[in-house]
Amino acid sequence: MHLSTALSRIAPSQTTAMTDRATQLREEGRDVISLSVGEPDFATPDHVVAAAKAALDAGQTKYTPVGGTSRLKQAAALHFERDLGIKVPASQVTVSAGGKQAIFHAMLATVSEGDEVIVPAPWWVSYPEIIHFAGGKVIPLHTHAKANFRFTAADLEAQIGPRTQWLMLNSPGNPTGACYPAEMLQGLAEVLRRHPRVMVLSDDIYAPINYTGAPHATLASLCPDLGERILTVSGVSKSHAMTGFRIGVAAGPEWLIKAMERLQSHSSGNPCSISQAAAVAAFEGPQDFLADWCERFRARRDLVVSAINAIPGLSTPTPDGAFYCMVDAAPLMARFGDDKALALHLLEHGVAIVPASAFGGRDGFRISFAADEATLAEACSRIAKAVA
Ligand code: GLU
């Protein structure tokens, strides 16, 4: 084996690894409910599927510009303005193979050996790994259930140092569901104004899935004066149930968009041409079903939260957004050892979840409740039996 120094710094993604393991067990005939991956179970909307078929029939099967077709860049600019309140020209938008690739390219393009990136914890599994791969140093900003897993302006200020390059902001957040209201973001902006070197990667992929009743708030819309140092990442995977299409979009300063596209020209080239046509339909077509889906997620959230809180030894706060619950299982650790052992035990009992340690947390696990209510109820009853 001749692994590079950069690869040696990272581990495989535990969300995708657990999902692959659950799929493998199912293929072997085992009855496993997978609540490990964040993937809406809803069917991709018909008009999106029709657009993909039409693109195939029209022979749109060739290379496109590296950063996406101008049609999709315009549709994405429409999305940023209409849905997130961020007014950008198409030249400040790029398209990648999922939001994950946009984040990967943004970090590789800007983080040098020893640069620091502040990452609120619990975090999405891939943030620290991408930063480590780029040679950066992860500065964890720990958040707690009793504060709705949110950090304050003072918490942020305490972590900023001379090497701070980026702050990762993810609202609604994976895996905690944390949502930052406008006034908290304004407070963070005050700190950022005092530290002009620090950039912000605002990962807004879960924007439409917000249960707070307040409209989605995002830094680039609230503080246009900081626009030159904010990269906002969005996409269609979670909002439009299009995970397999692999389309993410990002809006930010032109120099950064160009740098990301320079990298993409050597990594994957353009995102899939058929998927790009489908994403145009997603951004330009009807959006009214999104509120409907959000209500269905809310019902599932309520079911899971009350079922989990009824199980002795387990507890979870009620998430404000996205479709994940962070379950605290600390009282069970004396019996199970650690959260990885508990995850394996639950898998033996037919439920796949992801241990909290994958997200920089501990003594618990993440449930993705993007499944129908009958499946979620059955999963919670299996979890109850498994830990009884
Ligand atoms: N973002 C989703 C999750 O956290 C999809 C899998 C992944 O890329 O991590 O489950």
Side-chain angles (χ1 to χ4, degrees):
M1 285 219 289
H2 294 281
L3 298 181
S4 69
T5 316
L7 192 81
S8 308
R9 289 197 287 261
I10 68 170
S13 160
Q14 290 195 55
T15 49
T16 54
M18 188 53 111
T19 309
D20 291 352
R21 178 85 186 111
T23 306
Q24 187 194 349
L25 288 173
R26 278 208 206 114
E27 282 169 4
E28 288 166 9
R30 297 271 299 277
D31 172 18
V32 175
I33 298 175
S34 179
L35 304 181
S36 50
V37 76
E39 173 167 72
D41 59 318
F42 303 132
T44 306
D46 289 345
H47 66 280
V48 171
V49 174
K53 286 182 182 159
L56 259 179
D57 289 341
Q60 290 176 24
T61 54
K62 303 287 168 54
Y63 292 133
T64 75
V66 166
T69 61
S70 51
R71 180 79 202 282
L72 178 53
K73 285 193 175 198
Q74 270 152 21
L78 164 83
H79 157 70
F80 279 111
E81 184 168 358
R82 178 194 60 207
D83 305 325
L84 303 175
I86 302 169
K87 201 165 162 41
V88 275
S91 59
Q92 286 180 231
V93 170
T94 190
V95 185
S96 50
K100 192 184 274 195
Q101 192 184 40
I103 298 167
F104 207 96
H105 286 167
M107 292 298 121
L108 280 187
T110 57
V111 173
S112 304
E113 204 70 31
D115 281 344
E116 296 181 355
V117 182
I118 298 175
V119 190
W123 48 51
W124 172 50
V125 278
S126 291
Y127 293 151
E129 304 302 317
I130 291 171
I131 295 158
H132 288 146
F133 190 77
K137 189 170 169 208
V138 172
I139 306 295
L141 211 178
H142 293 285
T143 66
H144 305 283
K146 60 180 184 306
N148 286 358
F149 291 110
R150 294 184 304 217
F151 63 90
T152 63
D155 299 333
L156 172 63
E157 184 116 50
Q159 298 301 330
I160 295 178
R163 295 296 305 265
T164 308
Q165 182 87 353
W166 284 94
L167 162 69
M168 307 297 266
L169 205 54
N170 179 210
S171 171
N174 173 8
T176 62
C179 283
Y180 286 79
E183 54 288 3
M184 280 189 91
L185 293 178
Q186 296 281 15
L188 301 183
E190 284 302 306
V191 175
L192 292 164
R193 288 187 185 104
R194 286 196 285 278
H195 299 278
R197 183 196 144 91
V198 181
M199 299 194 57
V200 180
L201 192 147
S202 180
D203 180 349
D204 289 30
I205 196 84
Y206 297 99
I209 309 158
N210 175 338
Y211 315 113
T212 62
H216 175 70
T218 191
L219 210 54
S221 161
L222 290 169
C223 309
D225 62 306
L226 298 179
E228 272 303 296
R229 47 192 177 115
I230 301 173
L231 183 74
T232 307
V233 177
S234 183
V236 287
S237 297
K238 315 292 184 182
S239 57
H240 289 69
M242 291 174 64
T243 44
F245 284 83
R246 307 312 301 133
I247 292 291
V249 292
E254 205 159 318
W255 68 267
L256 178 57
I257 296 296
K258 283 213 177 98
M260 291 161 67
E261 291 186 355
R262 199 200 302 185
L263 200 49
Q264 188 157 303
S265 75
H266 293 294
S267 62
S268 56
N270 64 271
C272 168
S273 56
I274 311 299
S275 298
Q276 289 190 62
V280 169
F283 287 139
E284 292 183 353
Q287 308 293 316
D288 46 336
F289 65 93
L290 298 179
D292 223 52
W293 283 8
C294 183
E295 279 315 299
R296 290 170 70 186
F297 281 129
R298 181 201 294 277
R300 294 158 172 204
R301 173 197 70 164
D302 293 345
L303 181 156
V304 170
V305 167
S306 76
I308 291 294
N309 284 326
I311 301 172
L314 298 183
S315 62
T316 176
T318 305
D320 284 333
F323 36 65
Y324 307 105
C325 278
M326 269 308 262
V327 178
D328 179 73
L332 302 181
M333 287 304 125
R335 263 170 65 210
F336 289 98
D338 63 17
D339 60 350
K340 289 200 175 106
L342 175 60
L344 287 177
H345 180 77
L346 294 178
L347 193 56
E348 281 305 307
H349 285 75
V351 185
I353 44 72
V354 184
S357 48
F359 307 99
R362 50 181 300 198
D363 300 347
F365 54 90
R366 185 192 77 171
I367 289 182
S368 165
F369 53 82
D372 65 72
E373 290 177 44
T375 303
L376 292 170
E378 170 62 19
C380 290
S381 113
R382 289 183 190 184
I383 293 172
K385 280 191 202 115
V387 303

